[in-house]
Amino acid sequence: ALAGAAARALVAWAAKTHASERTSKDYVEAIQVADELTGTLNAVEADPLRTSLSSLRVAVFIVRAVVEGMRYDTPRIVVQAGRPFEIIFENPDVMPHNLVVVEPGARQKVGTSAQELPAGHTDRQGRAWVPEDKEVIAATKLLEPGQSETLKLTAIRNEGTYEYVCTFP
């Protein structure tokens, strides 16, 4: 019951937010929380909220490395096929991290390829520990603690489960 009330309140707040403010970090985080709360509801409650969220959502997601956790705080994002989107990757951890988006089923292969790269190697865009692989869709540079980078991804045409991974050894 509390999740539903919180999700409805966030949707109502988002609807009052001017369109020019809908790419702010606070807005994106609020929409992301509303979406996660909606996922805990039954279909009858969730469907109208999802409809509202889809009209209010700017396809921007915030993903952070978990401090000393060797994982991301957002394990899954859902994107409509055929629409561009952005991922804001933040590194609050004490060690460097990157975020590499890969084709479905390629996470292990790309991760292993990155581990085999020689120290100091960079790809054509100057990114360390990102292998030259056609299964890499997008990648951030290696971010030091406290840094962030925005990945702007063009529309992914094929539906599927695309993964993201940190390839820093």
Side-chain angles (χ1 to χ4, degrees):
L2 293 176
R8 284 187 292 282
L10 286 169
V11 168
W13 169 81
K16 294 177 185 174
T17 303
H18 191 272
S20 66
E21 299 172 354
R22 291 186 180 175
T23 58
S24 74
K25 184 177 173 185
D26 289 340
Y27 183 88
V28 172
E29 287 179 325
I31 291 295
Q32 199 163 317
V33 168
D35 191 42
E36 290 170 12
L37 290 170
T38 300
T40 67
L41 304 175
N42 65 47
V44 172
E45 291 180 285
D47 287 346
L49 288 172
R50 283 196 180 103
T51 300
S52 294
L53 281 170
S54 79
S55 69
L56 296 169
R57 171 168 249 157
V58 174
V60 178
F61 303 90
I62 298 170
V63 177
R64 294 178 188 91
V66 173
V67 176
E68 298 182 12
M70 300 300 289
R71 63 184 176 86
Y72 300 113
D73 70 342
T74 305
R76 176 179 65 99
I77 60 175
V78 178
V79 179
Q80 185 177 0
R83 291 185 62 189
F85 62 100
E86 295 180 11
I87 299 173
I88 300 169
F89 176 55
E90 297 178 344
N91 182 18
D93 199 2
V94 297
M95 65 182 282
H97 290 285
N98 64 6
L99 186 136
V100 180
V101 180
V102 299
E103 293 285 343
R107 182 174 58 99
Q108 185 70 38
K109 177 185 173 223
V110 170
T112 301
S113 294
Q115 301 298 311
E116 296 169 354
L117 293 172
H121 174 270
T122 58
D123 71 357
R124 289 181 208 141
Q125 283 116 6
R127 301 173 300 196
W129 303 108
V130 176
E132 300 281 351
D133 192 312
K134 65 180 181 189
E135 293 177 309
V136 171
I137 296 171
T140 66
K141 64 183 181 191
L142 191 61
L143 300 181
E144 294 297 328
Q147 292 183 323
S148 68
E149 182 177 339
T150 300
L151 281 179
K152 296 178 187 240
L153 290 94
T154 58
I156 294 176
R157 300 282 175 218
N158 300 320
E159 286 188 25
T161 302
Y162 295 78
E163 297 176 292
Y164 44 95
V165 60
C166 175
T167 57
F168 181 61

